[in-house]
Amino acid sequence: MIRIGVIGFGYWGPNVVRNFQGLAACRVVTICDSNPSAQERARKIYPSMNVTGNSSELLTSAEIDAVAVVTPVWTHFELAKKALENGKHVFVEKPFTSNSAQAEELIELAEKKHLKIMVDHTFLFTGAVRKIRQLVDEDVLGRLYYYDSTRVNLGLFQHDVNVIWDLAPHDLSIMDYVIKHKAQALVATGACHLNGHGAGPLNGREEMAYITVYFPDNIIAHVNVNWLSPVKVRLTLLGGEKKMLVWNDLEADEKLKVYDRGVHLGNANGNGVYDLLVSYRSGDMWAPKVDQSEALKLESAYFLDCIINDKAPFNDGMAGLRVVRLLEAADESVRQRGKLVEL
Amino acid sequence: MIRIGVIGFGYWGPNVVRNFQGLAACRVVTICDSNPSAQERARKIYPSMNVTGNSSELLTSAEIDAVAVVTPVWTHFELAKKALENGKHVFVEKPFTSNSAQAEELIELAEKKHLKIMVDHTFLFTGAVRKIRQLVDEDVLGRLYYYDSTRVNLGLFQHDVNVIWDLAPHDLSIMDYVIKHKAQALVATGACHLNGHGAGPLNGREEMAYITVYFPDNIIAHVNVNWLSPVKVRLTLLGGEKKMLVWNDLEADEKLKVYDRGVHLGNANGNGVYDLLVSYRSGDMWAPKVDQSEALKLESAYFLDCIINDKAPFNDGMAGLRVVRLLEAADESVRQRGKLVEL
Amino acid sequence: MIRIGVIGFGYWGPNVVRNFQGLAACRVVTICDSNPSAQERARKIYPSMNVTGNSSELLTSAEIDAVAVVTPVWTHFELAKKALENGKHVFVEKPFTSNSAQAEELIELAEKKHLKIMVDHTFLFTGAVRKIRQLVDEDVLGRLYYYDSTRVNLGLFQHDVNVIWDLAPHDLSIMDYVIKHKAQALVATGACHLNGHGAGPLNGREEMAYITVYFPDNIIAHVNVNWLSPVKVRLTLLGGEKKMLVWNDLEADEKLKVYDRGVHLGNANGNGVYDLLVSYRSGDMWAPKVDQSEALKLESAYFLDCIINDKAPFNDGMAGLRVVRLLEAADESVRQRGKLVEL
Amino acid sequence: MIRIGVIGFGYWGPNVVRNFQGLAACRVVTICDSNPSAQERARKIYPSMNVTGNSSELLTSAEIDAVAVVTPVWTHFELAKKALENGKHVFVEKPFTSNSAQAEELIELAEKKHLKIMVDHTFLFTGAVRKIRQLVDEDVLGRLYYYDSTRVNLGLFQHDVNVIWDLAPHDLSIMDYVIKHKAQALVATGACHLNGHGAGPLNGREEMAYITVYFPDNIIAHVNVNWLSPVKVRLTLLGGEKKMLVWNDLEADEKLKVYDRGVHLGNANGNGVYDLLVSYRSGDMWAPKVDQSEALKLESAYFLDCIINDKAPFNDGMAGLRVVRLLEAADESVRQRGKLVEL
């Protein structure tokens, strides 16, 4: 029986508590939040749990085996570090840390102490992303061409991060999971209309950004994130040589559509520009059934499984670090108006 | 009665002929295409017109007042130049020319000869774009934040240009028409999967590209063009301080939706990051009726009006030149992996 | 402080408990369900409430002022009757009763005892239906032409009722609320493919049905309900002389669209069939913002308000009876293959 | 070489002429329309054809082998009869005739004269309907449950027929083609808001109607047609035991979606209503590629093939008669407020 402590009971924390609590192999023993009204909510829903405003109490408790850190990103490092130092496995909200140096330090510490780090890239446990990964693994899509995601909506503005650190971790972690090559370089552009006005461009927090990531083999990824869109869009295109895929996460059903479509360019058999032979393939579309299980439930169970059976999670500290490096690079590129940043 | 000669009877030429022919103030007298089967098609539909494969005949004819150049872009300059030299007004397919030097030379020549150049940026005459421009003119949207367009589909591959020169002229000309500031700089990224393989990266023709254009006042425009998408998307978001707009050109009805949505950031009245006040406005949506007239019909009539009444068309050579400069810059930026190109 | 007892803690009961419990003016004191696992669920969520399997205990308790009956329809009458006899106000799940005689008896009993009956036609408290009613009240739509609803999906099969008693109460109660005339007659057709096979046509329970209701002034309502549809549809059209409205309840945003569209037939000014003048009006579309408050929350508060301030609820026993009469008539008509049933 | 005469050059006639003219095996020799402006249009497009306002001339001409009757329905009988009497094959616009007696007379006459009648049920030649029929033929859908079609839009009002005779022939001919059983009886309801006011109910022409058709094996078809809808809907659901299908004809791509969804009701293994076992199947969705060829082109070629090779067309006079009988029955039922009409 793994005993869990959860720090942070704001927007996402209650989901983390509920999912861990629903699993037979663990028990949430303590919930911590510095906000008294969050403590009150926690007590009302879970009268039998220990609820505290003091994270040190939780982090040093001998009754706790693993800690879930579900707090703002700038607090992740200190909390996770203390948890590891006290011999606890950690489950950390995305993005993993505020910078890559912090991530590296935590990874090193966990290794030394033989503890697990899992970064909560929840989307990797959704039925849609697992199916996409399966289609890539089974080479259904063929050689990949591109990954193109649009993730825009109105708000919710974050107080401590820009739109890149808020929305792009989803896309960058999925991209990292699906494209098996190592990202090589990145170009990002963006703009800031409401945040940080009057405080100089470097202090502004972008509400919209466009990130291009270069991979080997001409594979390219593009992420469009925007807090100032009148409509919500969650649309990802994944192009491959054999098949192409559209993932619309706002569809209740038919989130994933796989198209038997493509282009073949033949050899020019003549003597000029007009002799290029282009043939199009436009066949059936297929929407595979996608598992509707709650992603966080699967992820929670996987965390326990990794602890109990001493497995290395695929969404470990290294996965979190790769995403943080992309976020850092995107910030740097945006502020230098699209400068190419090598990774 | 303006007498018109049309060069090029491939995909778009027949529409140009049909629209000019439908107007009382002009007559199409000659159609020219070097392709015999295009000539045959022209003769079948318009048995009474002169059909030729010799453009010189048309360009030097004393019976012709204006020439429509509806041919591949690399031929525009020579044909338009000869037309102007022979005292004819020109209507040129977009993009105007293969480079900005050509565009400048044609503009200068037309001025000297007191002739009109009109670049066929057809989209500017659609009901949707005219309505968007009206909403901007009437300050319904308020201060603009961004212009974000996605224009993707499978093919049609062009033999002589990349996806930027094929699809982006639509977006860049609309952006130029709607955002009244002068574009300052541009960043573009892209990839090439099928074209030009084996011929070195500089010879490749991108099938997908992402262009960010910077304007004064933090206004930003982004264009996503892709020939390798399994689905067709024609979606433009235009964000303003007072209202935001979505234009889905694939909708039969309700192409334009204006949202009374926005964000207001109040002053932090306290002492820390959590005191920022964000308020959201989320009101009604309104889909104004959009005129369904054929855009090319309105544009053809406007061309005649400009000639007859000696008016300067708003989609003149300068407008064409501005788009060509953006295309040149995008090409340069893509090939240097997102290098910022000042305009 | 109104003290509430809730009978039934299956699918909908937990929502009823949660909403009443969230209101300051009342307290849920007892939950009753004959199913032990439902009792267990109730105890887990609400450790401080009295949970029982014995409805008599609840119905005769002196500690309870009002009873919510959230059980299968065939049990409504007995439970509501006993509640009224014991001096308790009743909130009854839709459909009100299994037949109109039962409904009439309950209404009479409530009147005699000066108690309130409210039938849980939840949809009447949604932002969409309240806005539709407002548009009708303000004569925005003009003289009504028709109400046309499609409510289809796969399952969920009910064990004790057919698709008419399961899905049509939603549409019939909304129709009754929006069309202010009294329904005159009804025609219904339907089919049964899976239920009741081998047990004779009268024992079959229809999985799909089509109901036409005639009103004065040629107003017509049509309801298409189906448990065997591969896709979920919740679409209502409401046609009026001045405006027409589409309500798509599956849209996250923009559930309601009001169209400035219509037809005007002029007088034939000539001498024959071809002289009829038809003119179409096709103006803007407008999607009013719809309140997103939870309907059941508003309804619960309204129930308390009616009790405390001795108001007659608009969704009272009579409203429930009108819907039950339509359901009875629909059953009769379906079984007689579309026989007209006068109401 | 079949020589064709076409009577009627209004809305649909030009398509018929264009398609026949595009086929190598025939030649359109004469176009007839009583309307001088239609004659003028015909002459402009086809300067080499004989254009006349006198149908007798065409119908008795020795130069014509087959006649296409593309005129209002009330003229079909006289024109087709005269054509057959003069030894010409006929291609008749849908609906075939104004009543079933006329249809029977034409069928008898054609048989006697060994001539072909083809009724222009164009939809049967679309890629979507041919694919649906193929899925039925290959038993992909399994035993059919129902056919449910919604075909609504604003206008276009017809002067001589109600909405049933205008829109329902599409659905009834498709239903007749796809469901291979013989329709047994029919119930129809409808309303009239603008037509025929003041002229008594029997003279009114319905603008909206709902038709239920009963087939053997509990198969049921339902057709919802409406001229007073603010939005255009073309949606057909076809439910079968093994698969279910949605045909949305307004989709540019993916018109047809086949769902691996269904319900299985097991035997009650216990002793009561709650023991019924319902299991749902909810698998993949599949959108087969649908041929985009112009339906009328395939149909025209098929007409010639039937004549040349003396084949009986499947959309012959009998098919036309079956649809006319359904239309007659629907009219009768609507006017008697849903009376069951046996077929």
Side-chain angles (χ1 to χ4, degrees):
Chain A
M1 172 70 65
I2 311 288
R3 295 160 305 175
I4 307 232
V6 176
I7 308 181
F9 201 76
Y11 167 67
W12 191 241
N15 295 323
V16 172
V17 174
R18 175 173 52 79
N19 275 285
F20 276 118
Q21 190 63 357
L23 295 169
C26 75
R27 218 175 67 228
V28 177
V29 293
T30 303
I31 295 170
C32 170
D33 199 299
S34 56
N35 185 333
S37 79
Q39 292 169 30
E40 195 177 335
R41 270 190 295 119
R43 278 193 197 97
K44 201 165 170 182
I45 306 180
Y46 301 106
S48 62
M49 286 184 199
N50 180 29
V51 175
T52 177
N54 180 348
S55 62
S56 283
E57 182 192 318
L58 186 155
L59 291 164
T60 57
S61 163
E63 310 295 309
I64 285 174
D65 306 305
V67 173
V69 177
V70 199
T71 54
V73 61
W74 55 272
T75 67
H76 288 184
F77 174 67
E78 291 300 337
L79 295 169
K81 187 178 173 188
K82 198 159 177 184
L84 292 168
E85 286 170 347
N86 283 279
K88 290 156 196 2
H89 305 282
V90 293
F91 178 94
V92 186
E93 198 41 47
K94 61 93 202 160
F96 183 23
T97 54
S98 293
N99 58 60
S100 50
Q102 293 177 344
E104 285 161 359
E105 189 176 333
L106 294 179
I107 291 167
E108 200 179 341
L109 181 56
E111 260 173 31
K112 211 172 57 187
K113 308 272 267 179
H114 300 292
L115 293 166
K116 305 294 175 199
I117 295 175
M118 185 179 283
V119 180
D120 179 18
H121 293 144
T122 323
F123 259 110
L124 306 186
F125 294 84
T126 58
V129 174
R130 286 184 291 132
K131 178 60 81 174
I132 293 172
R133 171 68 187 243
Q134 181 192 336
L135 294 171
V136 170
D137 284 349
E138 295 173 354
D139 199 32
V140 171
L141 304 181
R143 189 163 63 83
L144 289 186
Y145 290 156
Y146 66 89
Y147 177 98
D148 185 340
S149 175
T150 303
R151 185 177 300 274
V152 306
N153 51 255
L154 194 65
L156 304 176
F157 278 68
Q158 302 293 311
H159 296 97
D160 55 333
V161 296
N162 63 10
V163 73
I164 295 174
W165 286 73
D166 179 39
L167 294 181
H170 295 305
D171 301 296
L172 298 176
S173 61
I174 298 166
M175 175 197 91
D176 175 69
Y177 184 57
V178 165
I179 302 177
K180 296 171 181 176
H181 295 75
K182 196 179 160 340
Q184 295 176 321
L186 169 157
V187 166
T189 55
C192 173
H193 294 288
L194 299 166
N195 284 307
H197 264 235
L202 290 178
N203 292 329
R205 281 194 294 273
E206 290 73 20
E207 300 105 3
M208 63 191 62
Y210 307 98
I211 308 171
T212 297
V213 186
Y214 294 101
F215 288 85
D217 279 349
N218 284 338
I219 299 172
I220 196 168
H222 188 262
V223 176
N224 176 340
V225 284
N226 190 340
W227 277 338
L228 288 176
S229 166
V231 289
K232 187 173 184 178
V233 180
R234 296 288 183 268
L235 190 71
T236 301
L237 275 63
L238 188 58
E241 191 170 16
K242 287 157 71 174
K243 292 268 196 312
M244 293 176 176
L245 177 153
V246 176
W247 168 31
N248 184 348
D249 203 49
L250 300 186
E251 289 272 344
D253 266 338
E254 303 165 33
K255 284 182 188 297
L256 226 56
K257 295 182 175 177
V258 183
Y259 291 86
D260 184 17
R261 293 194 183 154
V263 182
H264 179 76
L265 262 66
N267 291 323
N269 59 352
N271 55 358
V273 77
Y274 282 105
D275 295 326
L276 186 60
L277 294 175
V278 182
S279 61
Y280 296 93
R281 179 170 33 82
S282 179
D284 293 359
M285 180 269 274
W286 163 65
K289 183 177 158 60
V290 163
D291 181 19
Q292 304 271 11
S293 306
E294 187 175 0
L296 187 51
K297 184 179 173 182
L298 300 179
E299 192 180 16
S300 309
Y302 178 60
F303 181 54
L304 300 184
D305 180 40
C306 289
I307 293 173
I308 294 167
N309 299 304
D310 194 20
K311 292 180 189 171
F314 72 88
N315 55 331
D316 61 0
M318 284 306 298
L321 170 59
R322 288 195 300 275
V323 169
V324 169
R325 278 191 180 134
L326 289 162
L327 296 170
E328 283 181 325
D331 264 4
E332 185 188 345
S333 184
V334 164
R335 275 140 203 200
Q336 299 197 46
R337 305 185 90 187
K339 178 183 162 24
L340 185 80
V341 178
E342 303 282 350
L343 293 163
Chain B
M1 175 67 67
I2 311 287
R3 296 159 306 174
I4 308 233
V6 176
I7 309 182
F9 202 76
Y11 166 67
W12 191 242
N15 294 323
V16 172
V17 173
R18 175 174 50 79
N19 275 285
F20 277 118
Q21 190 63 357
L23 296 169
C26 75
R27 220 175 66 227
V28 177
V29 294
T30 303
I31 295 170
C32 169
D33 198 300
S34 57
N35 184 334
S37 79
Q39 292 170 32
E40 195 177 335
R41 269 188 297 119
R43 276 192 199 97
K44 200 164 171 183
I45 306 178
Y46 301 106
S48 62
M49 286 184 199
N50 179 30
V51 175
T52 176
N54 180 349
S55 62
S56 283
E57 180 192 321
L58 185 154
L59 291 164
T60 57
S61 162
E63 310 295 310
I64 283 174
D65 306 305
V67 173
V69 177
V70 199
T71 55
V73 60
W74 56 272
T75 66
H76 288 184
F77 174 67
E78 291 300 338
L79 294 169
K81 186 178 173 187
K82 198 159 178 185
L84 291 167
E85 286 171 346
N86 283 280
K88 290 156 198 0
H89 305 282
V90 293
F91 178 94
V92 185
E93 199 41 47
K94 61 92 205 160
F96 183 24
T97 55
S98 293
N99 58 58
S100 49
Q102 292 177 344
E104 285 161 357
E105 189 176 335
L106 294 179
I107 291 167
E108 199 179 342
L109 181 57
E111 258 171 34
K112 210 171 60 188
K113 307 273 267 179
H114 301 290
L115 293 166
K116 305 293 174 199
I117 295 176
M118 186 180 281
V119 179
D120 180 18
H121 293 144
T122 323
F123 259 109
L124 307 187
F125 293 84
T126 58
V129 174
R130 286 184 291 130
K131 176 62 79 176
I132 293 173
R133 169 71 187 243
Q134 181 193 334
L135 294 171
V136 170
D137 285 349
E138 295 173 353
D139 198 32
V140 171
L141 303 181
R143 189 163 63 82
L144 289 186
Y145 290 156
Y146 65 89
Y147 177 99
D148 185 339
S149 176
T150 303
R151 185 178 299 275
V152 307
N153 51 256
L154 194 65
L156 302 175
F157 278 67
Q158 302 293 311
H159 297 97
D160 55 333
V161 295
N162 63 10
V163 73
I164 294 174
W165 286 74
D166 179 39
L167 294 182
H170 295 305
D171 299 296
L172 298 175
S173 61
I174 298 166
M175 176 197 89
D176 176 68
Y177 184 56
V178 165
I179 302 177
K180 295 170 181 177
H181 295 75
K182 196 180 162 335
Q184 294 177 322
L186 170 156
V187 166
T189 56
C192 173
H193 294 287
L194 299 166
N195 284 307
H197 263 234
L202 292 177
N203 292 330
R205 278 192 297 273
E206 290 73 18
E207 301 106 3
M208 63 192 63
Y210 307 99
I211 309 171
T212 296
V213 186
Y214 294 102
F215 287 86
D217 280 348
N218 285 338
I219 299 172
I220 196 168
H222 188 262
V223 176
N224 176 339
V225 284
N226 189 341
W227 277 337
L228 288 176
S229 165
V231 288
K232 187 174 183 178
V233 180
R234 296 287 184 266
L235 189 72
T236 302
L237 275 63
L238 188 58
E241 191 171 15
K242 287 156 71 173
K243 293 267 196 312
M244 294 176 174
L245 177 153
V246 176
W247 168 31
N248 183 347
D249 203 48
L250 300 186
E251 288 272 343
D253 266 338
E254 305 165 32
K255 284 184 189 295
L256 226 55
K257 295 182 176 176
V258 183
Y259 291 85
D260 184 16
R261 292 193 185 156
V263 182
H264 179 75
L265 262 67
N267 291 322
N269 60 353
N271 55 358
V273 78
Y274 282 105
D275 295 326
L276 186 60
L277 295 175
V278 183
S279 61
Y280 296 92
R281 182 169 32 83
S282 180
D284 294 358
M285 181 268 275
W286 165 65
K289 183 177 157 61
V290 164
D291 181 20
Q292 304 270 13
S293 305
E294 187 175 1
L296 187 51
K297 184 179 172 183
L298 299 179
E299 191 181 17
S300 308
Y302 177 60
F303 181 55
L304 299 184
D305 180 41
C306 288
I307 293 174
I308 294 168
N309 299 304
D310 194 20
K311 292 181 187 170
F314 71 87
N315 56 330
D316 61 0
M318 284 305 298
L321 170 59
R322 288 194 300 274
V323 170
V324 169
R325 278 189 179 136
L326 289 161
L327 297 170
E328 282 181 326
D331 264 4
E332 186 188 344
S333 184
V334 164
R335 275 140 204 201
Q336 298 197 45
R337 305 185 92 188
K339 178 183 160 27
L340 184 79
V341 178
E342 304 280 349
L343 293 163
Chain C
M1 174 67 67
I2 311 288
R3 295 160 305 173
I4 307 231
V6 176
I7 310 181
F9 202 77
Y11 166 68
W12 191 241
N15 295 324
V16 172
V17 173
R18 175 174 51 79
N19 275 286
F20 275 118
Q21 190 63 357
L23 295 169
C26 76
R27 220 176 66 228
V28 176
V29 294
T30 303
I31 295 171
C32 170
D33 198 300
S34 56
N35 185 334
S37 79
Q39 292 170 29
E40 196 176 335
R41 270 190 295 118
R43 278 193 198 96
K44 201 164 171 182
I45 306 179
Y46 301 107
S48 62
M49 285 185 201
N50 180 30
V51 175
T52 177
N54 180 349
S55 63
S56 282
E57 182 192 320
L58 186 155
L59 290 165
T60 57
S61 163
E63 310 296 307
I64 284 174
D65 305 306
V67 173
V69 177
V70 199
T71 55
V73 61
W74 56 271
T75 67
H76 288 183
F77 175 67
E78 291 299 338
L79 294 169
K81 187 178 172 189
K82 198 159 179 184
L84 291 168
E85 285 171 347
N86 283 279
K88 291 157 195 1
H89 304 283
V90 292
F91 177 94
V92 186
E93 199 40 49
K94 61 92 203 161
F96 184 23
T97 54
S98 293
N99 58 59
S100 50
Q102 293 177 342
E104 285 161 359
E105 188 176 334
L106 294 178
I107 291 167
E108 199 180 341
L109 182 55
E111 260 172 32
K112 211 171 58 187
K113 308 272 266 179
H114 300 290
L115 293 166
K116 305 294 174 199
I117 295 176
M118 186 180 280
V119 180
D120 180 19
H121 293 144
T122 323
F123 259 109
L124 306 186
F125 293 84
T126 58
V129 173
R130 285 183 292 131
K131 176 61 80 176
I132 293 173
R133 170 70 187 242
Q134 181 192 336
L135 294 171
V136 169
D137 284 348
E138 295 173 353
D139 198 32
V140 171
L141 304 181
R143 189 163 63 83
L144 291 185
Y145 290 156
Y146 65 89
Y147 176 99
D148 185 340
S149 175
T150 303
R151 185 177 301 274
V152 307
N153 52 255
L154 194 66
L156 302 177
F157 279 67
Q158 301 294 312
H159 296 97
D160 55 333
V161 295
N162 63 10
V163 73
I164 294 174
W165 286 74
D166 178 40
L167 294 181
H170 295 305
D171 301 295
L172 298 176
S173 61
I174 298 166
M175 175 197 90
D176 176 67
Y177 184 56
V178 165
I179 302 177
K180 295 169 181 178
H181 295 75
K182 195 180 162 338
Q184 294 177 322
L186 170 157
V187 166
T189 57
C192 173
H193 294 289
L194 299 165
N195 284 306
H197 263 235
L202 290 178
N203 293 330
R205 279 192 295 274
E206 290 74 19
E207 300 105 4
M208 62 191 62
Y210 306 99
I211 309 171
T212 297
V213 186
Y214 294 101
F215 288 86
D217 279 349
N218 283 339
I219 299 172
I220 196 168
H222 188 262
V223 177
N224 176 341
V225 284
N226 189 341
W227 276 338
L228 288 175
S229 165
V231 289
K232 187 173 183 178
V233 180
R234 296 286 183 266
L235 189 72
T236 302
L237 275 64
L238 188 58
E241 191 170 15
K242 287 156 70 174
K243 293 268 196 312
M244 293 175 176
L245 178 155
V246 176
W247 168 31
N248 183 348
D249 203 49
L250 300 186
E251 288 272 344
D253 267 338
E254 305 166 32
K255 285 183 188 297
L256 225 56
K257 295 182 176 176
V258 183
Y259 292 85
D260 184 16
R261 292 192 184 155
V263 182
H264 180 74
L265 261 67
N267 291 323
N269 59 351
N271 55 359
V273 77
Y274 281 106
D275 296 324
L276 187 60
L277 295 175
V278 182
S279 60
Y280 295 92
R281 180 169 33 82
S282 180
D284 294 359
M285 181 269 275
W286 165 64
K289 183 177 159 59
V290 164
D291 180 20
Q292 304 269 12
S293 305
E294 186 175 0
L296 187 51
K297 184 178 173 183
L298 299 179
E299 192 181 16
S300 309
Y302 178 60
F303 181 54
L304 300 184
D305 180 40
C306 288
I307 292 174
I308 293 167
N309 299 304
D310 194 20
K311 292 181 188 169
F314 72 86
N315 55 330
D316 61 0
M318 285 306 298
L321 170 58
R322 288 195 298 276
V323 169
V324 169
R325 279 192 180 134
L326 289 161
L327 296 170
E328 282 181 325
D331 265 4
E332 186 188 344
S333 184
V334 164
R335 275 141 203 199
Q336 299 197 45
R337 305 185 92 186
K339 177 182 162 22
L340 184 80
V341 178
E342 303 281 350
L343 293 162
Chain D
M1 174 67 66
I2 311 287
R3 296 160 305 174
I4 307 231
V6 177
I7 309 181
F9 202 76
Y11 166 68
W12 191 241
N15 295 323
V16 173
V17 173
R18 174 173 52 78
N19 275 286
F20 276 117
Q21 190 64 356
L23 296 169
C26 76
R27 219 175 67 229
V28 177
V29 294
T30 303
I31 295 171
C32 169
D33 199 299
S34 57
N35 184 336
S37 80
Q39 292 170 31
E40 197 176 334
R41 271 189 296 119
R43 277 192 198 98
K44 201 165 170 181
I45 306 178
Y46 301 106
S48 62
M49 284 184 201
N50 180 30
V51 175
T52 176
N54 180 348
S55 62
S56 283
E57 181 192 320
L58 185 156
L59 291 164
T60 56
S61 162
E63 310 295 310
I64 284 174
D65 306 306
V67 173
V69 176
V70 199
T71 55
V73 60
W74 56 272
T75 66
H76 289 183
F77 174 67
E78 291 299 337
L79 295 168
K81 186 178 174 188
K82 198 159 178 184
L84 292 167
E85 286 170 346
N86 283 279
K88 289 154 197 5
H89 305 283
V90 292
F91 177 93
V92 185
E93 199 40 47
K94 62 91 202 158
F96 183 23
T97 54
S98 294
N99 59 59
S100 50
Q102 291 177 344
E104 285 161 358
E105 188 176 335
L106 294 179
I107 291 167
E108 198 180 340
L109 182 56
E111 258 173 32
K112 210 171 61 189
K113 307 273 268 178
H114 300 291
L115 293 166
K116 305 295 175 199
I117 295 176
M118 185 179 281
V119 179
D120 179 18
H121 293 145
T122 323
F123 259 109
L124 307 186
F125 293 84
T126 58
V129 174
R130 286 183 291 131
K131 177 61 80 175
I132 293 173
R133 170 70 188 241
Q134 181 193 334
L135 294 171
V136 170
D137 285 349
E138 295 172 353
D139 198 32
V140 170
L141 304 181
R143 189 163 63 83
L144 290 185
Y145 290 156
Y146 65 89
Y147 177 99
D148 185 340
S149 175
T150 303
R151 185 177 300 273
V152 306
N153 52 255
L154 194 65
L156 304 175
F157 279 66
Q158 302 293 312
H159 296 96
D160 55 334
V161 295
N162 63 10
V163 73
I164 295 174
W165 286 75
D166 179 39
L167 295 181
H170 294 306
D171 300 295
L172 298 176
S173 62
I174 297 165
M175 174 197 90
D176 175 68
Y177 184 56
V178 165
I179 302 176
K180 294 171 181 175
H181 294 76
K182 196 179 160 339
Q184 294 177 321
L186 169 157
V187 166
T189 56
C192 173
H193 294 288
L194 298 165
N195 284 307
H197 263 236
L202 291 177
N203 292 329
R205 279 193 295 271
E206 291 72 20
E207 299 107 1
M208 62 192 62
Y210 306 99
I211 309 171
T212 297
V213 186
Y214 294 101
F215 287 85
D217 279 349
N218 284 338
I219 300 172
I220 197 168
H222 188 261
V223 177
N224 176 340
V225 284
N226 189 342
W227 276 337
L228 288 176
S229 165
V231 289
K232 187 174 183 177
V233 180
R234 296 286 183 267
L235 189 71
T236 302
L237 275 64
L238 188 58
E241 191 171 15
K242 288 157 71 174
K243 292 268 196 314
M244 294 178 177
L245 176 154
V246 176
W247 168 32
N248 183 348
D249 204 48
L250 300 186
E251 288 272 343
D253 266 338
E254 304 165 33
K255 283 182 189 298
L256 226 56
K257 296 182 175 176
V258 183
Y259 292 85
D260 183 16
R261 292 193 184 155
V263 181
H264 180 75
L265 263 66
N267 291 323
N269 59 353
N271 55 358
V273 78
Y274 282 106
D275 295 326
L276 187 60
L277 295 175
V278 182
S279 61
Y280 296 93
R281 180 169 33 82
S282 180
D284 294 359
M285 181 269 275
W286 164 66
K289 184 176 157 61
V290 163
D291 180 20
Q292 305 269 12
S293 306
E294 186 176 1
L296 187 52
K297 184 178 173 183
L298 299 179
E299 191 180 16
S300 309
Y302 177 59
F303 180 55
L304 299 183
D305 180 40
C306 288
I307 292 173
I308 294 167
N309 299 305
D310 194 19
K311 291 181 188 170
F314 72 85
N315 56 331
D316 61 0
M318 284 306 298
L321 170 59
R322 288 194 299 274
V323 170
V324 169
R325 278 190 180 136
L326 289 162
L327 296 170
E328 282 182 324
D331 265 3
E332 186 188 343
S333 183
V334 164
R335 275 141 203 198
Q336 299 197 45
R337 306 184 90 186
K339 179 184 160 29
L340 184 79
V341 178
E342 304 281 350
L343 293 162

